[in-house]
Amino acid sequence: MSRRESPPPPPPSPPPQMLGECEDRPERAEPLSDAEMEVIQHTWGHVYKNCEDVGVSVLIRFFVNFPSAKQYFSQFQDMQDPEEMERSSQLRQHARRVMNAINTVVENLRDPEKVSSVLALVGKAHAIKHKVEPIYFKILSGVMLNVLSEDFPEFFTAEVQLVWTKLMAAVYWHVTGAYTEVGWLQVSSSAV
């Protein structure tokens, strides 16, 4: 079984019915320690050398395991074959955008305002312009962590994966905060 055809991860916990009324959303994301920031930046340096290929692998796994996510991408929503997806210039372009957004976050870990600003822009664009359900960010984060740990096992040890999980939780927290800010109320479980 190839990495793009691995079984999907377990579904995330059911999302709240209304994000604006989410009672279990923490008041703020758990901050990263200096040591955790160093770990993230060190491991990301290895990943970002191949950012487009890694991003493509992440998106293909995401779309194969969660085909409902393709509904937001008219340019490749009808693609079923992972090899066809891999050849798609539009998918490659979106993979670069995703990886560049993560890169901006990683490069600015010591500047929380910058991170918050970047992720607010991402969240607002996906909420207002693209109308993407926020649960897909959580799912994509999990897929990304799986691909990184499989493609870079020498760097993504169990301890490193925990640090990256903490970062991805912070990313999700910021993005969903942007959804709340723009009054997003539609959250369904169609992704799971």
Side-chain angles (χ1 to χ4, degrees):
M1 186 180 296
S2 80
R3 68 175 188 210
R4 292 188 187 105
E5 297 169 351
S6 66
S13 58
Q17 290 304 309
M18 295 178 66
L19 187 60
E21 297 178 11
C22 181
E23 293 176 18
D24 61 348
R25 181 173 168 13
E27 189 173 315
R28 65 187 193 115
E30 186 180 349
L32 295 166
S33 69
D34 288 343
E36 289 170 330
M37 289 182 207
E38 291 294 327
V39 165
I40 289 166
Q41 290 172 331
H42 172 75
T43 52
W44 183 251
H46 298 285
V47 171
Y48 200 64
K49 290 176 189 173
N50 303 305
C51 75
E52 184 175 321
D53 289 336
V54 174
V56 167
S57 293
V58 169
L59 288 182
I60 290 172
R61 171 94 53 96
F62 180 54
F63 293 136
V64 166
N65 291 342
F66 301 93
S68 62
K70 290 191 294 182
Q71 69 184 300
Y72 302 107
F73 298 92
S74 60
Q75 63 273 47
F76 43 86
Q77 71 185 150
D78 295 326
M79 292 181 190
Q80 302 299 320
D81 180 28
E83 289 163 5
E84 181 184 6
M85 289 181 208
E86 190 168 13
R87 291 187 303 269
S88 167
S89 61
Q90 293 96 343
L91 189 135
R92 287 191 162 277
Q93 182 179 15
H94 194 69
R96 279 192 302 272
R97 280 196 300 269
V98 169
M99 297 301 278
N100 286 333
I102 298 295
N103 187 60
T104 300
V105 168
V106 170
E107 285 181 343
N108 292 285
L109 286 175
R110 297 184 193 295
D111 184 352
E113 284 80 31
K114 174 77 172 183
V115 169
S116 183
S117 172
V118 167
L119 294 175
L121 289 173
V122 169
K124 288 175 183 175
H126 284 78
I128 296 169
K129 183 178 179 186
H130 307 298
K131 311 246 186 291
V132 174
E133 293 179 36
I135 191 68
Y136 284 108
F137 283 95
K138 183 178 271 190
I139 295 168
L140 182 61
S141 294
V143 170
M144 181 175 283
L145 292 173
N146 286 337
V147 170
L148 295 179
S149 64
E150 291 170 16
D151 287 4
F152 301 92
E154 67 277 23
F155 300 111
F156 281 82
T157 62
E159 296 81 19
V160 170
Q161 289 178 45
L162 288 174
V163 173
W164 272 89
T165 299
K166 188 174 173 181
L167 173 66
M168 289 299 169
V171 167
Y172 183 69
W173 184 88
H174 283 285
V175 168
T176 56
Y179 273 74
T180 301
E181 194 176 304
V182 299
W184 181 274
L185 300 178
Q186 176 187 351
V187 178
S188 79
S189 59
S190 67
V192 293

Short mmCIF file of all heavy atoms in Angstrom, two decimals, residues 22-33 37 112-113 116 166-167 169-177:
data_model
loop_
_atom_site.label_atom_id
_atom_site.label_comp_id
_atom_site.label_asym_id
_atom_site.label_seq_id
_atom_site.Cartn_x
_atom_site.Cartn_y
_atom_site.Cartn_z
N CYS A 22 -18.84 27.54 20.44
CA CYS A 22 -18.01 26.41 20.82
C CYS A 22 -17.54 26.56 22.26
O CYS A 22 -16.72 27.42 22.57
CB CYS A 22 -16.81 26.31 19.87
SG CYS A 22 -15.72 24.93 20.23
N GLU A 23 -18.06 25.74 23.14
CA GLU A 23 -17.72 25.85 24.54
C GLU A 23 -16.36 25.24 24.87
O GLU A 23 -15.74 25.61 25.86
CB GLU A 23 -18.80 25.18 25.40
CG GLU A 23 -20.13 25.93 25.31
CD GLU A 23 -21.22 25.22 26.07
OE1 GLU A 23 -20.91 24.37 26.92
OE2 GLU A 23 -22.39 25.52 25.79
N ASP A 24 -15.88 24.29 24.05
CA ASP A 24 -14.62 23.64 24.38
C ASP A 24 -13.42 24.30 23.69
O ASP A 24 -12.32 23.83 23.77
CB ASP A 24 -14.68 22.14 24.06
CG ASP A 24 -14.93 21.87 22.59
OD1 ASP A 24 -15.29 22.81 21.86
OD2 ASP A 24 -14.78 20.70 22.19
N ARG A 25 -13.62 25.43 23.03
CA ARG A 25 -12.51 26.14 22.41
C ARG A 25 -11.75 26.85 23.52
O ARG A 25 -12.30 27.67 24.24
CB ARG A 25 -13.05 27.16 21.41
CG ARG A 25 -11.96 27.94 20.68
CD ARG A 25 -12.58 28.78 19.59
NE ARG A 25 -11.96 29.79 18.87
CZ ARG A 25 -10.69 30.13 18.75
NH1 ARG A 25 -9.82 29.54 19.36
NH2 ARG A 25 -10.25 31.10 18.03
N PRO A 26 -10.47 26.51 23.68
CA PRO A 26 -9.71 27.15 24.75
C PRO A 26 -9.61 28.66 24.51
O PRO A 26 -9.75 29.14 23.39
CB PRO A 26 -8.33 26.49 24.66
CG PRO A 26 -8.28 25.79 23.36
CD PRO A 26 -9.68 25.61 22.88
N GLU A 27 -9.38 29.38 25.59
CA GLU A 27 -9.28 30.83 25.48
C GLU A 27 -8.14 31.25 24.57
O GLU A 27 -8.21 32.25 23.89
CB GLU A 27 -9.10 31.42 26.88
CG GLU A 27 -9.21 32.92 26.90
CD GLU A 27 -9.19 33.47 28.30
OE1 GLU A 27 -9.87 32.92 29.19
OE2 GLU A 27 -8.46 34.46 28.51
N ARG A 28 -7.07 30.48 24.59
CA ARG A 28 -5.94 30.77 23.70
C ARG A 28 -5.19 29.49 23.41
O ARG A 28 -5.33 28.50 24.12
CB ARG A 28 -5.02 31.83 24.28
CG ARG A 28 -4.31 31.40 25.54
CD ARG A 28 -3.53 32.56 26.15
NE ARG A 28 -2.66 32.03 27.16
CZ ARG A 28 -1.33 32.05 27.09
NH1 ARG A 28 -0.73 32.60 26.08
NH2 ARG A 28 -0.60 31.52 28.04
N ALA A 29 -4.40 29.54 22.35
CA ALA A 29 -3.59 28.37 21.98
C ALA A 29 -2.47 28.21 23.01
O ALA A 29 -1.96 29.19 23.54
CB ALA A 29 -3.00 28.56 20.60
N GLU A 30 -2.10 26.98 23.26
CA GLU A 30 -1.01 26.72 24.19
C GLU A 30 0.29 27.22 23.56
O GLU A 30 0.65 26.82 22.46
CB GLU A 30 -0.92 25.22 24.48
CG GLU A 30 0.10 24.88 25.54
CD GLU A 30 0.18 23.38 25.83
OE1 GLU A 30 -0.69 22.63 25.35
OE2 GLU A 30 1.12 23.00 26.52
N PRO A 31 1.00 28.12 24.26
CA PRO A 31 2.23 28.65 23.66
C PRO A 31 3.33 27.60 23.56
O PRO A 31 3.41 26.68 24.37
CB PRO A 31 2.62 29.79 24.60
CG PRO A 31 1.92 29.50 25.90
CD PRO A 31 0.71 28.67 25.56
N LEU A 32 4.16 27.78 22.55
CA LEU A 32 5.32 26.90 22.38
C LEU A 32 6.49 27.44 23.19
O LEU A 32 6.70 28.65 23.25
CB LEU A 32 5.72 26.85 20.90
CG LEU A 32 4.71 26.24 19.94
CD1 LEU A 32 5.10 26.57 18.50
CD2 LEU A 32 4.62 24.75 20.14
N SER A 33 7.24 26.53 23.78
CA SER A 33 8.45 26.94 24.49
C SER A 33 9.54 27.25 23.47
O SER A 33 9.44 26.90 22.29
CB SER A 33 8.92 25.82 25.42
OG SER A 33 9.40 24.73 24.65
N MET A 37 10.05 25.61 19.75
CA MET A 37 10.22 26.40 18.52
C MET A 37 11.47 25.96 17.76
O MET A 37 11.45 25.85 16.53
CB MET A 37 10.30 27.89 18.85
CG MET A 37 9.01 28.50 19.31
SD MET A 37 9.25 30.26 19.60
CE MET A 37 8.00 30.56 20.81
N PRO A 112 4.36 36.32 17.57
CA PRO A 112 2.98 35.84 17.63
C PRO A 112 1.98 36.70 16.87
O PRO A 112 1.00 36.19 16.33
CB PRO A 112 2.65 35.80 19.12
CG PRO A 112 3.85 36.24 19.86
CD PRO A 112 4.93 36.57 18.89
N GLU A 113 2.21 38.01 16.80
CA GLU A 113 1.30 38.87 16.05
C GLU A 113 1.33 38.54 14.56
O GLU A 113 0.30 38.53 13.90
CB GLU A 113 1.63 40.35 16.27
CG GLU A 113 1.17 40.88 17.62
CD GLU A 113 2.12 40.51 18.76
OE1 GLU A 113 3.34 40.37 18.51
OE2 GLU A 113 1.64 40.35 19.89
N SER A 116 -0.44 35.20 14.04
CA SER A 116 -1.88 35.41 14.17
C SER A 116 -2.45 36.12 12.95
O SER A 116 -3.51 35.74 12.43
CB SER A 116 -2.16 36.24 15.44
OG SER A 116 -3.53 36.40 15.61
N LYS A 166 1.27 20.04 18.75
CA LYS A 166 0.98 21.27 19.50
C LYS A 166 0.94 22.48 18.55
O LYS A 166 0.05 23.32 18.65
CB LYS A 166 2.05 21.46 20.58
CG LYS A 166 1.79 22.56 21.55
CD LYS A 166 2.86 22.53 22.65
CE LYS A 166 2.75 23.71 23.58
NZ LYS A 166 3.80 23.67 24.62
N LEU A 167 1.87 22.54 17.60
CA LEU A 167 1.86 23.63 16.63
C LEU A 167 0.59 23.58 15.78
O LEU A 167 -0.07 24.60 15.56
CB LEU A 167 3.09 23.57 15.72
CG LEU A 167 3.07 24.58 14.56
CD1 LEU A 167 3.14 26.01 15.07
CD2 LEU A 167 4.20 24.30 13.58
N ALA A 169 -2.26 22.31 16.49
CA ALA A 169 -3.41 22.70 17.31
C ALA A 169 -3.49 24.22 17.40
O ALA A 169 -4.58 24.80 17.34
CB ALA A 169 -3.30 22.08 18.70
N ALA A 170 -2.34 24.87 17.51
CA ALA A 170 -2.31 26.34 17.55
C ALA A 170 -2.75 26.92 16.21
O ALA A 170 -3.50 27.91 16.16
CB ALA A 170 -0.91 26.83 17.92
N VAL A 171 -2.31 26.32 15.12
CA VAL A 171 -2.73 26.78 13.78
C VAL A 171 -4.25 26.67 13.67
O VAL A 171 -4.93 27.62 13.26
CB VAL A 171 -2.02 25.96 12.67
CG1 VAL A 171 -2.67 26.19 11.32
CG2 VAL A 171 -0.54 26.30 12.62
N TYR A 172 -4.78 25.53 14.07
CA TYR A 172 -6.23 25.32 14.00
C TYR A 172 -6.96 26.32 14.89
O TYR A 172 -8.00 26.88 14.50
CB TYR A 172 -6.56 23.88 14.41
CG TYR A 172 -8.03 23.54 14.32
CD1 TYR A 172 -8.66 23.45 13.08
CD2 TYR A 172 -8.79 23.34 15.46
CE1 TYR A 172 -10.02 23.14 12.99
CE2 TYR A 172 -10.14 23.04 15.38
CZ TYR A 172 -10.75 22.94 14.14
OH TYR A 172 -12.09 22.66 14.05
N TRP A 173 -6.43 26.59 16.06
CA TRP A 173 -7.04 27.55 16.99
C TRP A 173 -7.12 28.93 16.34
O TRP A 173 -8.16 29.60 16.38
CB TRP A 173 -6.24 27.58 18.29
CG TRP A 173 -6.87 28.46 19.32
CD1 TRP A 173 -7.81 28.10 20.24
CD2 TRP A 173 -6.60 29.85 19.54
NE1 TRP A 173 -8.15 29.19 21.01
CE2 TRP A 173 -7.42 30.27 20.61
CE3 TRP A 173 -5.75 30.77 18.94
CZ2 TRP A 173 -7.42 31.58 21.10
CZ3 TRP A 173 -5.75 32.09 19.42
CH2 TRP A 173 -6.58 32.47 20.48
N HIS A 174 -6.03 29.37 15.73
CA HIS A 174 -6.02 30.69 15.08
C HIS A 174 -6.98 30.74 13.89
O HIS A 174 -7.69 31.73 13.71
CB HIS A 174 -4.60 31.05 14.62
CG HIS A 174 -3.71 31.51 15.73
ND1 HIS A 174 -3.81 32.74 16.31
CD2 HIS A 174 -2.68 30.89 16.35
CE1 HIS A 174 -2.89 32.87 17.26
NE2 HIS A 174 -2.19 31.76 17.30
N VAL A 175 -6.96 29.71 13.07
CA VAL A 175 -7.82 29.68 11.89
C VAL A 175 -9.30 29.68 12.30
O VAL A 175 -10.11 30.45 11.76
CB VAL A 175 -7.48 28.47 10.99
CG1 VAL A 175 -8.54 28.27 9.92
CG2 VAL A 175 -6.11 28.66 10.35
N THR A 176 -9.66 28.86 13.27
CA THR A 176 -11.06 28.82 13.69
C THR A 176 -11.45 30.12 14.39
O THR A 176 -12.62 30.51 14.34
CB THR A 176 -11.37 27.61 14.60
OG1 THR A 176 -10.51 27.62 15.73
CG2 THR A 176 -11.22 26.31 13.83
N GLY A 177 -10.49 30.78 15.01
CA GLY A 177 -10.77 32.10 15.58
C GLY A 177 -11.18 33.08 14.50
O GLY A 177 -12.08 33.91 14.70
#
